Every structure is written in structure tokens, then in C-alpha cells.
Amino acid sequence: MINEGARIINIASVGQSPIDFDDLKMEKNYDGYLAYARSKLALIMFTFDLSAELKERKINVNALHPATLMSTSMVKDHFGQAQSSVEEGFSAIEFLATSKNLDEITGRYFENKSQAQANAQAYDKEARKKLRQTTTDSIAAYL
């Protein structure tokens, strides 16, 4: 059981792309980066809905892009040069987890330590409802 005052931080990305509900599995035109960007937007959409569900229990849920191309092996192998450090990313996560200024802030998207705007589809209640229903249906099919 999660206690009142807890904070859930979903690690998202500034790399976001609208979800194509007519080709959700990307069977017509798969692209690895596009799949990544759509999954990060889906995570933000989920974050906004979960925030609404947990608000009365005083559990904050926010999404965070901690830093851009941090100095990790994956970034070095695929992109060459890093743009930020792992320490910068950690600092953003720590800020969202502990800042007293964020005690009442929930259902938001952050880039580093600042509130930012996610892709417009994240704020579309009908799109979030469709994603939630599609996800629920997919899970039910596997059970």
C-alpha cells in the first residue's frame, strides 16, 4: 500500500510522438525511434490518468524527462557524444522526489526541474481514454 504523501515519478522523455490508434502496433510502418517516442507519450498519458486516480489519496504522480542524452554507455554507443551527465539526471529525479515546493503538484510533465508541456495528445482526454481501453483490452486478452 502506498502511503499518503508518496510520490510516483515516471521517467519519460522529451522525445514524444502522437500515437496512431489505427496502427497501434506499428505493423504498417515500424521505426524504432518512433516506437520509443510513442511509448514515452503513452507513459505520460498514463501518468496524467494515474494522478487523477490517486489525487484524493494525496499521492502525487508526475512524469519527468530528467536530462538529454546522459553520459551512459548506450548514448556513447548510439549517439557518440553525451549532452548531459548522469548526475544532472539524478538531480532532476531527486528534485521531483523531495522538493517541498512540489508537495501539491501532481499530473504534470517536467523537463529537468521545470514544468513543461508534453505533446498535445497527452492532454486529450479522449485519446487517453482510448489508450486506457485499448491497453485494458490487450491485457484481458492475455489473461
Side-chain angles (χ1 to χ4, degrees):
M1 175 66 85
I2 299 175
N3 295 329
E4 183 177 301
R7 295 183 185 183
I8 297 170
I9 303 165
N10 288 322
I11 304 303
S13 174
V14 71
Q16 305 159 31
S17 186
I19 296 166
D20 178 358
F21 288 101
D22 293 326
D23 189 21
L24 196 59
K25 295 181 182 180
M26 299 182 70
E27 294 170 320
K28 295 176 190 168
N29 190 22
Y30 180 80
D31 173 85
Y33 179 77
L34 184 59
Y36 169 86
R38 287 179 176 174
S39 73
K40 291 303 184 175
L41 178 58
L43 178 63
I44 295 167
M45 293 165 79
F46 167 76
T47 298
F48 291 174
D49 285 346
L50 184 60
S51 169
E53 286 182 40
L54 297 177
K55 192 169 186 166
E56 285 185 26
R57 292 176 51 194
K58 298 185 189 303
I59 297 170
N60 293 354
V61 187
N62 291 297
L64 168 68
H65 169 76
T68 300
L69 297 176
M70 291 180 279
S71 55
T72 64
S73 297
M74 182 182 78
V75 167
K76 290 174 188 169
D77 291 346
H78 296 285
F79 297 98
Q81 190 171 344
Q83 292 183 14
S84 55
S85 69
V86 172
E87 291 78 16
E88 287 174 89
F90 173 77
S91 178
I93 295 168
E94 183 179 45
F95 174 76
L96 251 68
T98 63
S99 175
K100 294 292 182 197
N101 294 336
L102 301 177
D103 283 347
E104 304 298 320
I105 305 297
T106 189
R108 305 288 171 81
Y109 167 70
F110 286 79
E111 290 178 19
N112 199 282
K113 297 177 183 177
S114 299
Q115 288 186 54
Q117 288 294 309
N119 180 284
Q121 195 178 40
Y123 303 96
D124 181 338
K125 290 181 181 181
E126 286 303 312
R128 292 199 321 258
K129 181 179 177 182
K130 190 170 192 173
L131 180 62
R132 195 169 48 250
Q133 187 60 53
T134 302
T135 304
T136 301
D137 292 347
S138 294
I139 292 169
Y142 286 104
L143 298 179

